[in-house]
Amino acid sequence: MVNHNPGRQPPEPLGTAARRAALRLLDAVLRRGEPLESALALATRALPGGPDRGLAHAIAAETLRRLPDLDALIDGATRMRLADDAKARFVLRIALVQVLALRTPPHAAIATVLPLVDGGPKRLVHGVFGSLMRGNAALPDVPTLPAAVAARWGAAWGADAVAGAARAIAVPPPLDLTLRDAGETDAWAARLGGVSLAPGHVRVTDAGPIAALPGFDDGAWWVQDLAASIPARLLAGAGADVLDLCAAPGGKSLQLAAAGHRVTAVDASESRAARLFENRDRIGVAFDVVIGDVLDWAPDAPADGVLVDAPCSATGIFRRHPDVLYRAHDGVVADMAALQTAILARAADWVRPGGTLVYATCSLERAEGEEQAARFLSARADFAVAPVQAAELPAGIAPTAAGFVRTVPGTLADAGGCDGFFVARFVRASG
């Protein structure tokens, strides 16, 4: 038969576009250092609908969770090691994670990735994949952390925390909800089929679509990791006027406003603040919102309490955002620590004499936590630690000997774990 369209390419297998988007996402994270969520819109813009976008995100996220183990399989099946940034390596990662973690049939996994190496080493990709499938390749039940991360966290928190982090990344984290009315904790725990680890908190597993849960439309609760709810809990006695700096998406502002404080929430990002407005309107509590950079903006008067939920490396939220394991290298941590120091220096001046300053980061890096607190106390003789008491914290979380809060991988492991967080509370001298 004569081919009347010799230049026309055969159609790609159904589902290839989603795999191409996953490849773009991995490239954005691993080669350009972009956050996975930030890269999602551009990488998936050509996809027709939500399910394909969800698949692309799932493939990329699971690849990042399993990257060292996927690479170990690939390296064990190649005579010459593929470069870390070789397209063949990226494509093999995508094919293997589909079969070994997402339970995609092998023929569908390889058929939908081979077009991604068009003009490249298709035969190599097909051969390595086939060899691994014939050899019954498998991933370990507990993923291997990137070597640099394991070394850094091991030095900071010990081998048990590293093992806890590896176990934590293997399973989806539970869903934590903060209630608008803490007095209804028991009722909502029963209605949602969850458990409570603190007043105003409910933890749910296998929750399904969040918007379909009871209470969502009524604004009875919002999603907030248990550890992330601690900073606002420590401002309970701060007084009526509270500044929540770097506030978006607004969980802590919601907590403070629901507790009866007069809150001003400040954030530099208009796009992030959009979520803050959305959450405020759904929950139905009132607080003021300012779009402004705290390095330029200043309040009209000091406040009774100031909460600094500072920008950070975000390594503490690796369970939900595994891309941070590859983006948050030493340079990023150092840059974030410098920014935190600058923000704290300004925020301290906005605390009235006798008032309270709470500093928090969702980071597992000492430079952004314990060392930052030490630098602050050294620079500001008018502030002292206001030690956190055990009774102020969720069950299973205890203050450190210095009076701070530090959650690490393994904290609350038997109850589903929590994010890595550091929280310090300071009081300004009255005179």
Side-chain angles (χ1 to χ4, degrees), residues 31-419:
R31 292 209 308 120
R32 301 199 299 274
E34 297 178 18
L36 181 63
E37 302 302 325
S38 298
L40 187 61
L42 182 60
T44 62
R45 63 180 178 178
L47 298 180
D52 281 348
R53 294 190 186 98
L55 176 59
H57 182 277
I59 292 172
E62 196 62 30
T63 298
L64 293 168
R65 286 190 176 90
R66 301 285 187 167
L67 195 63
D69 297 313
L70 292 167
D71 282 346
L73 290 175
I74 294 167
D75 292 342
T78 52
R79 285 179 293 185
M80 294 184 61
R81 189 180 184 280
L82 296 171
D84 288 339
D85 62 352
K87 181 174 281 190
R89 180 180 289 278
F90 274 69
V91 169
L92 279 166
R93 290 164 171 166
I94 291 172
L96 290 170
V97 82
Q98 290 180 79
V99 175
L100 303 179
L102 301 178
R103 306 309 174 196
T104 303
H107 69 274
I110 190 63
T112 52
V113 301
L114 284 178
L116 307 185
V117 284
D118 190 32
K122 282 188 176 182
R123 183 175 297 180
L124 170 66
V125 169
H126 199 284
V128 171
F129 180 82
S131 176
L132 288 169
M133 292 300 98
R134 290 189 296 273
N136 296 317
L139 294 170
D141 292 336
V142 177
T144 303
L145 292 180
V149 173
R152 192 170 72 238
W153 291 355
W157 313 117
D160 287 346
V162 174
R167 289 191 298 270
I169 204 171
V171 296
L175 181 69
D176 283 336
L177 307 176
T178 297
L179 304 178
R180 183 179 59 201
D181 184 352
E184 297 183 355
T185 301
D186 291 342
W188 276 110
R191 187 173 178 187
L192 292 163
V195 298
S196 177
L197 300 177
H201 165 266
V202 176
R203 171 164 288 184
V204 183
T205 55
D206 301 322
I210 292 171
L213 289 175
F216 178 86
D217 290 336
D218 299 329
W221 49 260
W222 57 93
V223 176
Q224 184 180 38
D225 187 83
L226 179 62
S229 75
I230 292 174
R233 294 176 184 272
L234 300 184
L235 273 169
D241 296 304
V242 177
L243 296 175
D244 182 10
L245 307 181
C246 313
K252 298 172 183 64
S253 293
L254 293 171
Q255 283 179 273
L256 294 165
H261 295 298
R262 292 191 298 272
V263 180
T264 299
V266 185
D267 201 275
S269 169
E270 288 192 29
S271 60
R272 281 172 52 83
R275 287 191 59 200
L276 196 156
F277 285 115
E278 177 184 322
N279 287 330
R280 183 187 66 176
D281 293 344
R282 183 176 67 84
I283 301 304
V285 295
F287 55 85
D288 294 329
V289 178
V290 174
I291 308 299
D293 188 333
V294 295
L295 295 180
D296 298 319
W297 176 86
D300 294 333
D304 299 305
V306 176
L307 194 161
V308 179
D309 186 10
C312 68
S313 65
T315 50
I317 59 173
F318 70 95
R319 297 181 303 165
R320 278 182 294 275
H321 300 280
D323 52 302
V324 301
L325 297 173
Y326 300 94
R327 296 189 296 103
H329 50 74
D330 290 345
V332 169
V333 173
D335 289 345
M336 289 293 100
L339 176 59
Q340 293 152 11
T341 299
I343 291 173
L344 270 174
R346 287 181 61 80
D349 290 334
W350 304 339
V351 181
R352 67 161 178 80
T356 302
L357 171 65
V358 172
Y359 169 77
T361 57
C362 56
S363 170
L364 284 165
E365 314 308 322
R366 286 187 179 274
E368 299 178 272
E370 290 81 356
E371 293 173 15
Q372 191 67 257
R375 283 192 292 272
F376 175 74
L377 290 169
S378 177
R380 297 295 300 243
D382 54 335
F383 280 85
V385 176
V388 177
Q389 304 301 312
E392 298 178 277
L393 298 176
I397 298 177
T400 69
F404 303 139
V405 179
R406 164 57 77 184
T407 59
V408 298
T411 300
L412 295 178
D414 292 341
C418 64
D419 287 346

